[in-house]
């Protein structure tokens, strides 16, 4: 999550820089927050649906699959995003849920009918 948060932060900076230059002032307000929230959602949804993993997950050899073993749909990615947001707002309780769930699933896994899988090392 740390790797992906750094990438989202870079995306936000890339977005905010032109807004600050054009307005010649500090940018804030609900429109800007909504734009940044939408960018964060699109970042995760795109990578989860298109590749099955974000760039941060790629570094750790992790991937997402639905319960049938296939790729996530946009609906599942959306549910996963909001499940992850709820987990974060609950001070990480949704992520700690893997310690009590028999299948080691977080709230975002449960709500989106998906799971994180560890990929094997590629042989050279």
């Amino acid at each position: 999550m740390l790797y992906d948060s750094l990438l989202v932060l870079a995306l936000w900076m890339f977005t905010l820089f032109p807004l600050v230059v054009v307005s010649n002032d500090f940018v804030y307000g609900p429109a800007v927050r909504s734009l940044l929230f939408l960018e964060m959602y699109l970042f995760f949804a795109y990578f989860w649906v298109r590749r099955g993993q974000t760039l941060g997950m790629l570094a750790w050899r992790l991937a997402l699959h639905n319960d049938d073993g296939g790729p996530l749909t946009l609906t599942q990615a959306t549910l996963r995003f909001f499940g992850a947001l709820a987990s974060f707002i609950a001070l990480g309780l949704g992520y700690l849920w893997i310690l009590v769930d028999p299948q080691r699933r977080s709230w975002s896994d449960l709500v989106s009918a998906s799971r994180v899988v560890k990929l094997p090392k590629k042989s050279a």
Side-chain angles (χ1 to χ4, degrees), residues 83-96 107:
L85 189 59
S87 297
F88 180 77
I89 290 170
L91 303 176
L93 182 61
Y95 299 116
L96 293 173
W107 288 355

Side-chain angles (χ1 to χ4, degrees), residues 11 28 38 40 52-53 55 61 69 71 76-77 87 94 113 116 119 121:
L11 178 64
Y28 59 93
L38 180 63
M40 181 172 55
Q53 58 188 165
L55 297 174
R61 295 188 341 264
Q76 286 177 300
S87 297
V116 177
L119 299 174
K121 285 186 179 181

Side-chain angles (χ1 to χ4, degrees), residues 38-109:
L38 180 63
E39 282 184 341
M40 181 172 55
Y41 164 74
L42 291 173
F43 172 85
F44 285 104
Y46 173 80
F47 281 106
W48 288 340
V49 171
R50 181 83 174 178
R51 296 185 49 113
Q53 58 188 165
T54 61
L55 297 174
M57 294 172 76
L58 181 66
W60 288 94
R61 295 188 341 264
L62 300 173
L64 287 173
H65 297 287
N66 65 26
D67 284 342
D68 297 332
L72 265 64
T73 65
L74 183 57
T75 301
Q76 286 177 300
T78 302
L79 290 170
R80 182 171 189 80
F81 178 80
F82 285 105
L85 189 59
S87 297
F88 180 77
I89 290 170
L91 303 176
L93 182 61
Y95 299 116
L96 293 173
W97 195 256
I98 65 171
L99 301 174
V100 297
D101 185 82
Q103 296 179 357
R104 298 185 48 94
R105 300 174 106 191
S106 68
W107 288 355
S108 50
D109 294 329

Side-chain angles (χ1 to χ4, degrees), residues 13-43:
M13 288 173 31
F14 186 76
T15 300
L16 290 174
F17 180 75
L19 293 176
V20 170
V21 169
V22 168
S23 70
N24 201 21
D25 196 9
F26 184 75
V27 292
Y28 59 93
V32 173
R33 285 192 296 265
S34 297
L35 174 64
L36 298 179
F37 183 81
L38 180 63
E39 282 184 341
M40 181 172 55
Y41 164 74
L42 291 173
F43 172 85

